[in-house]
Amino acid sequence: MRIFVITGAGISAESGLGTFRDKDGTGIWARFDPMKLATPEAFARNPSEVHAFYNARRRNLLSAVPNSAHFALARLEEALAERGGSLALVTQNIDDLHDRAGSKEVIHMHGELFKVRCVACATTIPWREDLGLEDQCPSCAQIGSLRPHVVWFGEMPMRMDDIYLALYGADLFVAIGTSGSVYPAAGFVSEARALGVRTCEINLEPSDNASHFDDKRYGKASEVVPAWIEETIATM
Ligand code: OAD
């Protein structure tokens, strides 16, 4: 069995990382304007403000730990591999909680908060501290050329070829903790359906794409994901 899973901010909510657009209006984008913080134009106009936003999120991630939903997905990857199957785990999250929970192969389509990239020489560098205009690229020595290694609105998500390859080969498509409002990730479920693949949504509440899912399970990721994974492993 080949399972394709796409995760979003909801899977990391119980690890203390904020979501972007919750229905109660407490999401990150209800408090901060994404057009001022998460676009290439915003970074060109006001890099210090963009750095401050990502520095705060990086500090928050330093003290966060994976929850039972992240651990269960690592277990699923192992269980599928033992039975000759595979898990394609694609995340929109820039946190590293899937990696820290033990998932071996994670596709970070929106980039990674613990990496920075030099706009002068294109080198990607692991980075856990605050980032600022005074920082120097360790590779080309340019000052002020480092940016967060994340995908901003208007930029192409990463590893799209790998993602579509996995999607086209999947027997089951599962979306976890995502509102289904940011493309191209929000469109994956329709493509899976068009291919005749069974689809399952796990979220706190029905997402914007709820009508595209065959199976829907609502509740906290920390409870619903491990339960779904135990059930899936038992039937394999
Ligand atoms: P959103 O914040 O849009 O959606 C999070 C979803 O998780 C919502 O539907 C919540 O109901 C659900 N949720 C909240 N707590 C949960 C819990 N404990 N268990 C299960 N579900 C829970 O986040 P994403 O869909 O990931 O992109 O957002 C997609 C992209 O929009 C992000 O990658 C980011 C953002 O702008 C960029 O910055 C480019």
Side-chain angles (χ1 to χ4, degrees):
M1 188 179 202
R2 289 159 303 176
I3 304 182
F4 181 105
V5 170
I6 172 86
T7 64
I11 197 165
S12 298
E14 292 162 80
S15 294
L17 303 178
T19 57
F20 295 96
R21 41 184 90 69
D22 276 320
K23 295 222 162 100
D24 63 4
T26 57
I28 293 171
W29 295 150
R31 288 173 287 127
F32 300 97
D33 180 355
M35 294 303 119
K36 288 190 177 147
L37 296 165
T39 68
E41 294 77 18
F43 188 59
R45 214 167 32 236
N46 196 343
S48 302
E49 197 179 351
V50 174
H51 280 316
F53 175 70
Y54 285 97
N55 287 343
R57 300 191 62 201
R58 203 177 290 108
R59 279 186 226 142
N60 198 9
L61 180 54
L62 279 170
S63 58
V65 291
N67 65 55
S68 55
H70 299 103
F71 287 114
L73 281 165
R75 207 157 55 241
L76 179 64
E77 180 183 45
E78 210 173 87
L80 283 165
E82 280 166 4
R83 293 161 177 79
S86 64
L87 174 69
L89 178 55
V90 180
T91 187
Q92 298 167 85
N93 300 341
I94 58 175
D95 67 54
D96 65 343
L97 299 183
H98 284 306
D99 311 78
R100 274 197 263 157
S103 286
K104 292 188 186 76
E105 204 22 76
V106 186
I107 298 182
H108 285 273
M109 67 178 291
H110 287 168
E112 294 172 72
L113 194 52
F114 283 155
K115 288 183 182 167
V116 300
R117 185 167 79 237
C118 178
V119 297
C121 72
T123 305
T124 303
I125 304 133
W127 199 276
R128 299 174 77 82
E129 292 83 41
D130 281 0
L131 179 64
L133 293 171
E134 65 291 349
D135 285 307
Q136 185 174 36
C137 172
S139 179
C140 72
Q142 178 111 359
I143 291 174
S145 61
L146 298 174
R147 59 161 279 182
H149 185 57
V150 301
V151 173
W152 285 323
F153 290 102
E155 294 183 324
M156 182 62 87
M158 297 172 185
R159 300 187 59 187
M160 290 304 289
D161 288 352
D162 293 332
I163 293 172
Y164 280 112
L165 207 61
L167 191 56
Y168 291 150
D171 306 305
L172 174 66
F173 173 94
V174 187
I176 302 174
T178 177
S179 61
S181 49
V182 174
Y183 286 81
F188 293 162
V189 61
S190 311
E191 296 181 53
R193 271 216 137 170
L195 294 163
V197 177
R198 211 177 152 69
T199 56
C200 170
E201 158 160 285
I202 299 177
N203 207 39
L204 199 57
E205 64 219 345
S207 73
D208 293 356
N209 281 332
S211 63
H212 296 310
F213 290 94
D214 303 307
D215 185 13
K216 305 166 211 224
R217 297 170 184 227
Y218 298 120
K220 290 179 180 174
S222 66
E223 294 165 8
V224 183
V225 174
W228 167 72
I229 286 176
E230 289 318 314
E231 198 183 304
T232 304
I233 292 176
T235 58
M236 277 183 331

